[in-house]
Amino acid sequence: MFKPLHNYVLLERIEEENRTAGGIIIPDTAKEKPSRGKVIATGNGLIENGQLIPVAVKENDIVLFSKWASSANEVKIDGKDYVLIKESDILGIL
């Protein structure tokens, strides 16, 4: 399995509902990429001033991340799509 380095986190996107509250189906071409994900793997953390600051999220956490994260990289591992993102672009744990 893939192990991120430093403060990177590997996420699996959680697809949003494809219907509105009124029951209208949203086509794939009009949907935004989801900004929620399940943590698959994490790095050990960031080293600052010689001290290791561990990553705050852990495997299987459901997180909300920035849609416009500059660090977000779409990656394909074993044929499956993931997002590799810096922990600082994660907004919170759901």
Side-chain angles (χ1 to χ4, degrees):
M1 181 50 148
F2 180 82
K3 172 74 173 160
L5 297 177
H6 309 294
N7 63 333
Y8 277 91
V9 178
L10 185 67
L11 301 174
E12 181 178 358
R13 285 188 191 270
I14 295 176
E15 295 298 323
E16 303 292 332
E17 182 64 40
N18 64 351
R19 290 180 188 254
T20 65
I24 298 171
I25 297 174
I26 302 169
D28 288 341
T29 55
K31 286 197 297 189
E32 291 185 14
K33 287 189 176 181
S35 59
R36 290 189 313 155
K38 178 180 176 184
V39 176
I40 302 301
T42 67
N44 292 331
L46 189 62
I47 296 177
E48 265 186 29
N49 300 324
Q51 297 286 343
L52 177 66
I53 301 169
V55 175
V57 296
K58 60 185 183 310
E59 287 183 26
N60 297 317
D61 279 349
I62 304 298
V63 298
L64 184 65
F65 61 92
S66 174
K67 290 181 184 179
W68 301 280
S70 60
S71 71
N73 296 292
E74 302 282 337
V75 295
K76 190 172 278 232
I77 301 170
D78 296 331
K80 201 166 181 186
D81 293 325
Y82 295 98
V83 178
L84 186 62
I85 192 168
K86 282 188 177 180
E87 181 189 27
S88 59
D89 287 322
I90 294 175
L91 305 173
I93 301 170
L94 297 171

